[in-house]
Amino acid sequence: MSKAEPILKHKDHFHGSDLEKIEQYYGISKESIISFSANVNPLGISPILRKTLSEHLDAITSYPDREYASLRRCIAEYVHSDMEHIIVGNGSTELISLLIQIEHPKKAVILGPTYSEYEREIFLGGGAAHYYPLKEEDNFCLNLSDFTAHLNENIDLLVICNPNNPTSSSITRAQMRQILDVCKQYDIFVMVDETYVEFADQMDEITSIPLTNYYNNIIILRGTAKFFAAPGLRLGYAVTGNRDLIKSINTRKNPWTINSLAVIAGELMFQDEIYIHETKTLIGRERAKMYQKLQESPDFKPFLPSANFILTKILHENITSEDLFERAIRRGMMIRDCSTFPFLDQKYIRFCIMNPEDNERLLSCLMEN
């Protein structure tokens, strides 16, 4: 390695948003990289948003509505909830942080392997996070009876990503109801991250938003980064029927954390029904095709996906996740080496669903001998 070459370990540093680091390390322009790691809608932003947002630039000359009433009304219509149950934030990350500050859990349980930000926020809040592992022998699906048997009065917070990242497995609303009933007995609050639920074929059977009308021990987080391909917009929202929690979050939240253009963008994208339908159709069709091709390969074991990405185990004994990351990135395609996730090792990769021709390229790359 020359002195000029940066010393980086991709498994420690490279995230779906780290295209600048990839560019520096591999000498590939970030514009030419197809990110199968970021889990973002391949259609890009809503055409209505692209066409009309520029007409609203004057909005930045004034403060947004402190209550964000119009935006919350649009979100409520989109998720079929009451606007009084909607809280908006600067990405779902802000809302996760605020919830942890308010609930201040001493002991939290996280279904894993999953997104690391939950554990980080719990740690920063002075709490301890414990993982309940989703097991490969169950195809990373939750064993409901075993899981609920592990819940007890010493747990303050339960964190569930649904569909889960990186396993792409999901929990049905009927199962979530059973979890909430047990959590109610032990006074456990439940945070459900539904970042990827809109990509699911059976979304209506998975989303827990209807449960917010009956349970006050649940909050559901969503955002616009993945499904609406707008991570830079930093627009997130939460749904809960717990009025005291809503009041606490709004009291702690800084005013105007969402800028005027993001408000308008949100109102536009949530109403773009054609774009929403086209996204679901594309992801559903390509996901099924990729899953089937991986199933037919002797070198891979894909796990049944609900989200817009597929977790795959490498069965070839001489190939690791790092090997496939290297092979793909040198051809301008970035996948996720999953060895840094809890309970996963160097035999697991994750990649999201992109446009058909890109998906074909990736599969050809991964499956070559």
Side-chain angles (χ1 to χ4, degrees):
M1 180 181 289
S2 68
K3 289 184 179 180
E5 187 175 349
I7 301 172
L8 285 173
K9 292 183 179 178
H10 75 73
K11 64 168 59 179
D12 294 329
H13 295 272
F14 294 159
H15 176 267
S17 61
D18 290 338
L19 297 183
E20 285 80 7
K21 288 181 181 177
I22 290 280
E23 183 178 53
Q24 179 187 18
Y25 188 70
Y26 288 98
I28 306 168
S29 71
K30 62 182 180 181
E31 290 78 17
S32 67
I33 297 171
I34 301 167
S35 181
F36 285 86
S37 177
N39 300 339
V40 173
N41 186 340
L43 293 181
I45 61 173
S46 152
I48 289 177
L49 179 60
R50 187 186 301 277
K51 181 180 178 182
T52 60
L53 187 60
S54 61
E55 298 169 8
H56 297 277
L57 286 177
D58 286 345
I60 64 173
T61 63
S62 58
Y63 286 99
D65 165 27
R66 188 186 271 259
E67 302 296 323
Y68 296 104
S70 178
L71 174 60
R72 286 168 49 234
R73 193 173 296 112
C74 282
I75 293 171
E77 289 176 7
Y78 175 65
V79 301
H80 308 295
S81 185
D82 187 326
M83 72 171 284
E84 296 303 320
H85 292 179
I86 308 294
I87 314 161
V88 292
N90 189 252
S92 58
T93 314
E94 182 195 20
L95 297 171
I96 292 171
S97 183
L98 285 167
L99 177 70
I100 299 299
Q101 289 173 33
I102 291 163
E103 292 295 316
H104 201 64
K106 290 177 183 167
K107 181 178 179 181
V109 169
I110 305 171
L111 257 63
T114 196
Y115 180 51
S116 62
E117 190 66 23
Y118 313 132
E119 182 180 4
R120 176 179 170 274
E121 289 291 344
I122 291 162
F123 173 77
L124 290 174
H130 302 262
Y131 282 94
Y132 176 87
L134 299 169
K135 298 181 176 68
E136 184 193 334
E137 55 262 36
D138 297 324
N139 291 315
F140 294 107
C141 293
L142 181 66
N143 182 327
L144 186 62
S145 58
D146 183 72
F147 172 64
T148 52
H150 281 79
L151 299 175
N152 58 64
E153 62 278 355
N154 296 320
I155 301 165
D156 305 304
L157 178 70
L158 171 61
V159 181
I160 300 174
C161 185
N162 192 37
N164 186 43
N165 174 20
T167 62
S168 208
S169 53
S170 59
I171 297 168
T172 66
R173 185 158 67 251
Q175 292 174 314
M176 192 69 75
R177 190 163 208 150
Q178 293 181 60
I179 292 168
L180 287 168
D181 286 338
V182 176
C183 287
K184 198 76 175 166
Q185 294 175 31
Y186 295 122
D187 197 24
I188 301 169
F189 196 82
V190 183
M191 181 178 83
V192 181
D193 185 345
E194 288 193 352
T195 292
Y196 300 103
V197 76
E198 290 136 298
F199 291 109
D201 283 340
Q202 308 300 327
M203 175 185 168
D204 290 341
E205 296 176 14
I206 296 171
T207 179
S208 294
I209 285 178
L211 299 180
T212 59
N213 294 318
Y214 310 102
Y215 293 85
N216 66 355
N217 62 328
I218 183 172
I219 188 168
I220 294 150
L221 303 168
R222 287 203 196 167
T224 57
K226 306 300 185 179
F227 188 83
F228 289 98
L233 200 61
R234 307 310 309 140
L235 174 58
Y237 60 97
V239 186
T240 182
N242 189 319
R243 298 299 176 96
D244 291 337
L245 177 60
I246 292 170
K247 185 177 179 181
S248 295
I249 290 177
N250 285 330
T251 299
R252 284 175 177 258
K253 194 155 62 82
N254 290 325
W256 306 301
T257 55
I258 302 173
N259 67 65
S260 302
L261 285 179
V263 169
I264 293 165
E267 293 173 1
L268 290 168
M269 64 175 62
F270 288 121
Q271 298 178 65
D272 192 344
E273 294 182 5
I274 294 174
Y275 169 84
I276 292 167
H277 175 73
E278 287 180 351
T279 297
K280 289 175 178 289
T281 301
L282 171 68
I283 297 300
R285 183 182 66 240
E286 289 298 306
R287 175 174 53 214
K289 190 190 303 179
M290 294 182 82
Y291 178 68
Q292 182 178 348
K293 288 186 177 180
L294 287 161
Q295 276 190 310
E296 292 167 356
S297 169
D299 293 333
F300 295 100
K301 178 188 177 182
F303 297 92
L304 187 65
S306 294
N308 64 322
F309 49 85
I310 302 175
L311 177 71
T312 301
K313 184 175 185 180
I314 304 162
L315 300 180
H316 195 298
E317 61 180 19
N318 296 322
I319 297 176
T320 67
S321 52
E322 185 171 353
D323 293 333
L324 291 185
F325 178 94
E326 290 281 336
R327 184 193 295 177
I329 197 62
R330 294 190 184 282
R331 300 182 195 185
M333 296 176 288
M334 182 178 177
I335 63 173
R336 179 65 191 268
D337 172 352
C338 290
S339 58
T340 54
F341 281 100
F343 316 116
L344 299 182
D345 58 24
Q346 73 281 2
K347 285 295 185 178
Y348 294 89
I349 57 172
R350 186 204 70 197
F351 43 86
C352 65
I353 314 299
M354 299 297 282
N355 288 311
E357 60 275 16
D358 295 327
N359 296 333
E360 288 291 337
R361 270 188 63 204
L362 178 67
L363 288 180
S364 296
C365 173
L366 296 177
M367 291 180 176
E368 72 179 35
N369 294 320

